[in-house]
Amino acid sequence: MTLTNWAGNVVFTPERYVRATSVEQVQELVAGAAKVRVLGSGHSFSTVAATDGLLLSLEDLPLNVDVDTATSSARVTASARFAHVMPPLHSAGLALHNTGSLPHISVAGAAATGTHGSGTGNRCLAAGVTGIELIGPDGELRTLRTGDKDFDGSIIALGLAGVVTALTLKAQPTFDVRQYVYDDLPLAALIANFDEIMSSAYSVSAFTHWRGPNMDLLWRKQLASDPAAPPTYFGATLADSARHPIDGMPTENATQQLGVPGPWHERLPHFRFEFTPSRGDEVQSEYLLPIEQAGAALAAVDAVREQFLPALQVAEIRTIAGDDLWISPAYGRTTVGFHFTWTDDLSKVTPAIAALEGALAGFDARPHWGKVFGLPREQVRSLYPRLGDFEELVHRVDPQGKFTNAFTRAYLDLPA
Ligand SMILES: Cc1cc2nc3c(=O)[nH]c(=O)nc-3n(C[C@H](O)[C@H](O)[C@H](O)COP(=O)(O)OP(=O)(O)OC[C@H]3O[C@@H](n4cnc5c(N)ncnc54)[C@H](O)[C@@H]3O)c2cc1C
């Protein structure tokens, strides 16, 4: 059987692949291996999870989601996907602060790469982690909590701080959300009023196929208690039926819209868990830059649209609050994410990425670790002020480089 990532653009060829069934087994396997990586739910498009050593899946670890209403938190095992975690939290009267676009993604894998949703006030998902249990290269299990010296370098760590077996997630009181979609927001209006539009609701996304002067869809996920959305907004018109981010895709795959109130976990993701959004025919890239640069960067990207259009399925603009996690794409700054879902034809995707990266040069654009990018090593390194601290941490906790792989060594100074 060929082992691939979700999209099929990465084929894994490890020396050994093991689906572990207990933490003790993981400890033994890690202690005895020369090189180890963990494969989460395989939703990364980059080769971040790949290894030529031991590839571990933790999906068969007994699934536990222990919700603690006294501390407003949940301890979840590394086998958990967001879809496993969200309903029990909601049933207990609690919520996560945000979700990514899919509930299918593993919590540990999302934390490892800095996966985020949208909302100028919402930090990335890893920023909601308050504790991790992880196995070091010697097989020892240790726990790190918020405030510990290594904590801020160990959550978004691309698997380099150890094998995470469980995470504790901070929760907040549950809330209801209404999702409204607008058609045809002029790009010029978005550029001129970026902060106002993108912070007009709890979570806002702008989707476009970049074919004309308008952003095709503006998705506003607002607190249910906020006033209903007006029929027009900055030249955009409220949609009168459900939409899918990609033209022509079935709208029943998307979460409920039209302002129908519902719990956070059934509105904040774009896609329903019961349906798998387009599979195997896409590659994704995303660049995260300071929100102050959003207007100028949008204009710069618009100017090269003809060069990336042949590869584009859809683009999405989101915002993310800044955080303190050392190699987070949103480290230290309120951030705008320019996301691109490409076709799977690399002969078109590669030049599209080059054109885009050319347009974004000078905007301090950090690439999403889990998506495809072409930026050179030195440029990537220059984007993270705490990179040196992160490398020191990895050298200290994993001096032999057991958890490194070709992807991480391509950008970081790590033990080989
Ligand atoms: C359809 C689709 C939609 C997406 N939507 C979003 C989105 O809305 N926002 C966004 O930011 N990204 C998004 N992504 C990207 C995705 O969230 C990230 O790539 C994420 O890291 C995938 O998690 P995973 O579990 O699938 O991890 P994998 O791809 O399996 O692994 C990612 C990294 O995590 C490490 N890892 C996984 N589990 C462990 C563990 N237990 N211990 C140590 N290391 C571990 C792996 O070694 C690897 O380095 C999307 C991807 C797809 C395919």
Side-chain angles (χ1 to χ4, degrees), residues 51-67:
T51 181
D52 50 12
L54 170 65
L55 188 62
L56 278 178
S57 167
L58 307 188
E59 290 204 296
D60 296 340
L61 289 187
L63 176 67
N64 270 308
V65 178
D66 296 323
V67 178

Side-chain angles (χ1 to χ4, degrees), residues 37-38 40-44 101 105-106 109 112-113 115-116 164 318 368:
R37 295 292 288 173
V38 179
S41 49
H43 284 88
S44 296
S101 61
I105 291 170
S106 87
T113 62
T115 292
H116 60 89
V164 176
R318 288 183 280 187
H368 192 305

Side-chain angles (χ1 to χ4, degrees), residues 86-123:
M86 300 189 299
L89 272 174
H90 175 63
S91 301
L94 296 173
L96 297 176
H97 69 286
N98 209 357
T99 74
S101 61
L102 289 189
H104 309 68
I105 291 170
S106 87
V107 177
T113 62
T115 292
H116 60 89
S118 192
T120 310
N122 299 324
R123 296 182 300 163

